[in-house]
Amino acid sequence: MGFLMTEQKTILDYLRIMVVEDEDHLRDVICDSIRHLGIRHVYQATDGQEALSLSEQLRPDMVFCDIQMEPMGGLEYLKRLRYSADSDFATTPVVFLTGTTDQETVMKAKELSVDGFIAKPPRGAAIRDAINRILNNPAQ
């Protein structure tokens, strides 16, 4: 898989990932896919507002986030995260899960330094690859 090793444990034993998705079934599938990779600390939020609150409390290492949600969508969540006064918090890697590929949305996400996109419904391999890419290139 290519995950980083430390002594007997891998980084996966410590990694904290949050999944932000308003569709219950899809959120469960994504969380199960992440747990299947050996990641034990997986947190869930149903919209951007809940995600923002949980992000401040839990300080996830990365976030997989839907774009189209109410009352706060993924773009607004990412904007508030990136403009946080706390530089560690503001640089949390965020990968958007989306069926939306319109140019305006993609450009807004890139302006806010999104760390990637995964098409919905996401496959386990795409999630694994995104995690590996972020772990291997933390300065992105």
Side-chain angles (χ1 to χ4, degrees):
M1 270 201 216
F3 291 115
L4 304 174
M5 299 288 290
T6 59
E7 300 176 54
Q8 294 293 320
K9 294 187 176 197
T10 68
I11 196 168
L12 301 182
D13 292 309
Y14 305 100
L15 199 60
R16 294 176 318 270
I17 295 183
M18 184 164 44
V19 175
V20 187
E21 169 61 56
D22 56 349
E23 294 179 36
D24 294 342
H25 176 70
L26 185 54
R27 188 176 60 251
D28 290 342
V29 169
I30 295 165
C31 289
D32 287 346
S33 294
I34 293 169
R35 286 187 192 98
H36 183 74
L37 297 171
I39 297 167
R40 297 182 306 184
H41 305 286
V42 182
Y43 305 97
Q44 302 180 34
T46 59
D47 67 72
Q49 186 63 46
E50 182 181 12
L52 199 58
S53 177
L54 284 174
S55 293
E56 290 172 353
Q57 292 172 20
L58 302 171
R59 299 295 176 132
D61 297 300
M62 66 185 71
V63 177
F64 289 91
C65 184
D66 186 17
I67 293 178
Q68 305 285 330
M69 297 177 291
E70 295 292 334
M72 183 191 291
L75 284 171
E76 183 64 23
Y77 164 75
L78 182 59
K79 179 180 177 181
R80 290 185 186 195
L81 186 73
R82 293 294 184 248
Y83 288 110
S84 169
D86 181 336
S87 62
D88 287 337
F89 182 63
T91 58
T92 303
V94 175
V95 175
F96 276 146
L97 306 166
T98 186
T100 303
T101 57
D102 70 89
Q103 194 65 23
E104 182 180 347
T105 300
V106 171
M107 292 308 295
K108 284 181 183 176
K110 287 183 176 184
E111 288 170 9
L112 293 168
S113 301
V114 71
D115 294 277
F117 294 89
I118 297 177
K120 285 169 79 174
R123 302 230 186 301
I127 293 170
R128 181 197 63 223
D129 292 348
I131 292 170
N132 273 325
R133 183 178 44 75
I134 290 168
L135 289 176
N136 291 318
N137 299 303
Q140 277 189 329

